Amino acid sequence: MADLTGFMAPKTPSGASAIVPDMPWYYSGTLLTAEYRTDPEKVAALLPEGLELADEDPGAVALIWADWQSCSASGAELLDPQRSQYLETFAVVRVKHEGVTYTRCVAIWVTKDFAIARGWFQGYPKKLGSMAVTRVMNVGRAAPRLAPGARIGASLAAYDHRLASLVVTLEAESESNGFVNGHPMLHSRWMPSITPGAGNSLEQLITMSTTDAEIGATWRGDFELELHDSPWDELASILPMREKIGAYYREVGVTFNGGTLVKDFSNPTI
């Protein structure tokens, strides 16, 4: 009998049905970022044991809308755009572990199943959501151009409940895309035991970062942001905005090809 193959489920003899292809994964897209400050106690409440607040600006948050096109080494997904294009909105904070500062994603919503599976593999707490971002196009009158005064809108919803609304007004070109999302990621990968109450069969702290970064146009600006909760999602209550820092628009391309295990608390016997 043929061996079953596939980077992630479902496995088949050919491996063609796997929800996620083998690494490396390539990404090209745009990031619309709003950075703000919340109460440091709110950030601390989202951190597992062993992680601490960052030393500087511990209440800083970045809420990011990403419009991605991604593919594996073959590039085959690019000719079937439903398999390559997706949007996501995610909130990141900065944390410290054993004296090193990292970025950590504490909430994230995406539009495609393959992005959820890939994110769980990476330790992102991804959920299904609905989001949209104004497209920047440098022709015509139906889109903003990259110029001072351009306005870009974004929205996030899940289960038909609006969770966030953002409007960014561009001011000038920028060398920076903010500082909160500027460190290697530190994430938790976990899976509860099949035995109720027995703990986690998989429980790992991992770090990772992208490579081969190619940076395109980058702009800074001001923003207006509204956050909400729903019966099924928390955003406004866990990361309320207390003070604006700044907003950014960036074109970016990166590669992901794995990470590093930091701590392993797994108990595969349960």
Side-chain angles (χ1 to χ4, degrees):
M1 295 181 65
D3 292 334
L4 296 179
T5 61
F7 183 78
M8 296 185 72
K11 291 191 174 188
T12 63
S14 71
S17 294
I19 191 170
V20 176
D22 290 346
M23 297 182 288
W25 303 323
Y26 304 103
Y27 301 77
S28 298
T30 61
L31 304 177
L32 187 67
T33 302
E35 287 190 338
Y36 65 89
R37 293 183 178 92
T38 192
D39 298 325
E41 294 79 9
K42 291 289 188 179
V43 177
L46 298 173
L47 305 183
E49 184 178 354
L51 302 191
E52 305 174 84
L53 294 171
D55 292 330
E56 298 182 8
D57 224 339
V61 178
L63 187 60
I64 303 167
W65 276 257
D67 187 353
W68 290 121
Q69 184 159 286
S70 68
C71 68
S72 57
S74 72
E77 299 89 346
L78 302 180
L79 301 182
D80 190 358
Q82 281 284 4
R83 285 288 299 165
S84 65
Q85 296 174 355
Y86 68 100
L87 289 94
E88 61 186 1
T89 306
F90 54 106
V92 298
V93 299
R94 293 178 307 144
V95 301
K96 188 173 67 172
H97 176 68
E98 296 184 346
V100 179
T101 300
Y102 297 91
T103 299
R104 183 176 176 89
C105 180
V106 293
I108 180 169
W109 294 262
V110 302
T111 58
K112 294 289 180 68
D113 60 354
F114 67 84
I116 291 178
R118 193 164 57 189
W120 285 8
F121 169 76
Q122 297 168 314
Y124 285 91
K126 292 191 176 184
K127 300 179 67 175
L128 189 64
S130 172
M131 59 221 69
V133 182
T134 303
R135 295 171 180 166
V136 174
M137 298 181 183
N138 291 305
V139 294
R141 300 176 63 177
R145 305 185 184 204
L146 289 179
R151 304 180 77 212
I152 304 172
S155 62
L156 166 66
Y159 299 111
D160 290 334
H161 295 271
R162 180 64 66 95
L163 298 175
S165 300
L166 173 69
V167 175
V168 172
T169 302
L170 300 183
E171 296 175 344
E173 293 187 62
S174 173
E175 294 185 0
S176 167
N177 191 44
F179 65 94
V180 182
N181 196 36
H183 307 276
M185 308 300 294
L186 188 70
H187 284 168
S188 298
R189 292 170 16 122
W190 54 277
M191 179 64 66
S193 169
I194 198 66
T195 304
N200 291 330
S201 298
L202 172 68
E203 187 173 358
Q204 297 178 334
L205 190 65
I206 60 100
T207 185
M208 60 187 181
S209 59
T210 55
T211 61
D212 302 327
E214 184 176 352
I215 306 301
T218 303
W219 283 69
R220 60 174 172 81
D222 195 10
F223 71 94
E224 298 297 328
L225 176 65
E226 295 182 6
L227 302 175
H228 308 279
D229 285 348
S230 82
W232 323 111
D233 288 282
E234 302 163 284
L235 187 54
S237 60
I238 61 173
L239 292 170
M241 184 173 68
R242 300 300 184 219
E243 179 185 4
K244 293 194 296 184
I245 298 175
Y248 305 90
Y249 175 90
R250 167 167 280 183
E251 300 170 344
V252 63
V254 294
T255 299
F256 176 83
N257 197 21
T260 303
L261 179 64
V262 177
K263 297 283 185 180
D264 194 346
F265 308 99
S266 303
N267 185 355
T269 65
I270 59 175

